[in-house]
Amino acid sequence: RMELSCAPAAPPGPGPPPGPAVAEGDEYESLPSGAALGTHMVAGAVAGIMEHTVMYPVDSVKTRMQSLQPDPKAQYRSVYEALKKIVLTEGLWRPLRGINVTVLGAGPAHAMYFACYEKMKKSLSDTLQQGGNSHLANGIAGSVATLLHDAVMNPAEVVKQRMQMFNSPYKSVLSCVRTVQRTEGFGAFYRSYTTQLTMNVPFQAIHFITYEFMQEHINPHRDYNPRSHIVSGAVAGAVAAAATTPLDVCKTLLNTQENTALSSLNISGHLSGMANAFRTVYQLGGLSGFFRGVQARVIYQMPSTAIAWSVYEFFKYFLTKHKLEKRT
């Protein structure tokens, strides 16, 4: 998932496609206020669905490579080898298993995220720094929006990752939901919620800072420049993904409740809590265990965040241009 660009915007320069000039006081960063809520929700939903689905097969590989006690038939040395092996031994569509629940979760989760983020950012900025851009407001808005997003997305993540695992016993999304609910209770869908939040806060901070840093150097005037948004988004996603991989490994363990790994440590029942997850990962894999699947995570995140940023920035440019054309 990605944050919005919050730095003061400059009028579009040579970068954008031909269109009406931006008058003084009209900023590319500002979306038309009349369509704000619906616009942010639609743009966010589209960006979120594309972000999560385009590279979904690599996400499936990442989940498997994060396994602490993988089956001998599910041990992979690279993302390419894993995809090839999965397709040849388990079928062409196996890497896409669970994608439907991801689409169902990502759409509303990202729509609510962007709507909440934009609404809170504007209200808090007006309160804290009248007429200006408050970084404190952006930080608070992003944190609250993340709480909302993860509350919607976490159950989908649990189901998705259980279906992605090797020899998953679940035949369908509905079957997985019913089985988990019956055997582990409703709390199983939120067992990794605190870990997810703990991961997403630093992820978004690193992601946001890196994206803004890249934009300052390759697109200092903040024009609509698809190439700069793609490059900046990809670099930001890669850096943030690599840095937060240890937390993602712990989240995967809490979501999947990997039976072989837990049994090897004589852990009965279900593993819960971030501290327990950290301890278990270290006992089974040492320090290197925290970086299982880092290659797949980075390969997945780079195009995902690049797509998300470029889609969202396009919506902002397109709607701003449309507003100016109506004025003209």
Side-chain angles (χ1 to χ4, degrees):
R1 193 175 71 255
M2 30 71 76
E3 288 281 11
L4 292 176
S5 174
C6 295
V22 178
E24 185 177 356
D26 288 323
E27 296 179 337
Y28 153 62
E29 293 291 339
S30 301
L31 279 167
S33 57
L37 187 62
T39 295
H40 292 307
M41 293 185 76
V42 172
V46 173
I49 290 172
M50 291 185 69
E51 175 188 357
H52 283 282
T53 58
V54 171
M55 294 296 291
Y56 188 85
V58 179
D59 184 57
S60 294
V61 170
K62 182 213 70 161
T63 296
R64 292 194 180 194
M65 292 181 79
Q66 287 180 336
S67 173
L68 298 172
Q69 296 278 312
D71 187 283
K73 296 179 181 178
Q75 293 181 355
Y76 317 108
R77 289 173 295 187
S78 68
V79 174
Y80 174 75
E81 182 204 8
L83 283 172
K84 182 179 178 182
K85 192 172 180 179
I86 291 170
V87 169
L88 291 176
T89 60
E90 302 176 51
L92 180 63
W93 303 109
R94 188 62 180 84
L96 294 177
R97 200 157 186 258
I99 194 172
N100 48 347
V101 74
T102 299
V103 171
L104 289 173
H110 282 74
M112 293 171 71
Y113 175 83
F114 283 108
C116 175
Y117 180 87
E118 289 291 346
K119 184 70 175 176
M120 285 200 66
K121 183 179 74 170
K122 186 177 187 306
S123 299
L124 290 172
S125 288
D126 289 342
T127 302
L128 299 173
Q129 191 173 328
Q130 188 67 35
N133 177 53
S134 168
H135 292 294
L136 176 60
N138 298 335
I140 295 172
S143 298
V144 175
T146 298
L147 289 170
L148 190 61
H149 171 278
D150 288 356
V152 175
M153 197 65 189
N154 210 86
E157 281 283 319
V158 173
V159 176
K160 177 201 76 172
Q161 291 198 304
R162 292 195 182 213
M163 297 191 70
Q164 287 174 332
M165 293 295 283
F166 179 73
N167 272 344
S168 172
Y170 308 106
K171 302 299 181 183
S172 66
V173 168
L174 192 58
S175 168
C176 181
V177 172
R178 285 174 174 170
T179 303
V180 173
Q181 169 67 30
R182 185 178 67 253
T183 60
E184 301 176 44
F186 180 76
F189 295 106
Y190 286 93
R191 197 175 279 132
S192 65
Y193 184 53
T194 53
T195 304
Q196 179 93 344
L197 289 175
T198 305
M199 177 180 71
N200 279 338
V201 170
F203 180 94
Q204 294 301 345
I206 296 168
H207 184 188
F208 179 78
I209 291 168
T210 305
Y211 184 84
E212 291 298 329
F213 175 81
M214 291 293 296
Q215 284 289 287
E216 285 173 3
H217 285 77
I218 66 177
N219 186 21
H221 298 298
R222 301 304 173 100
D223 301 329
Y224 172 64
N225 186 327
R227 185 180 301 174
S228 80
H229 302 318
I230 290 171
V231 172
S232 298
V235 172
V239 173
T244 57
T245 294
L247 290 162
D248 194 48
V249 172
C250 293
K251 182 203 77 173
T252 297
L253 177 61
L254 290 171
N255 279 345
T256 60
Q257 296 292 307
E258 194 181 337
N259 291 328
T260 306
L262 299 183
S263 298
S264 66
L265 293 178
N266 296 318
I267 297 176
S268 58
H270 305 294
L271 188 71
S272 62
M274 188 170 61
N276 290 332
F278 263 93
R279 192 180 305 114
T280 304
V281 172
Y282 182 75
Q283 288 175 326
L284 291 170
L287 290 177
S288 62
F290 289 103
F291 288 91
R292 284 181 176 271
V294 63
Q295 178 196 37
R297 180 164 159 78
V298 170
I299 291 174
Y300 163 77
Q301 202 67 53
M302 285 182 70
S304 296
T305 48
I307 289 167
W309 273 111
S310 57
V311 168
Y312 201 82
E313 297 284 8
F314 168 76
F315 266 85
K316 287 199 290 184
Y317 169 73
F318 176 79
L319 291 166
T320 304
K321 177 184 174 184
H322 179 66
K323 178 183 70 171
L324 295 175
E325 285 178 341
K326 286 180 69 176
R327 286 184 185 178
T328 303

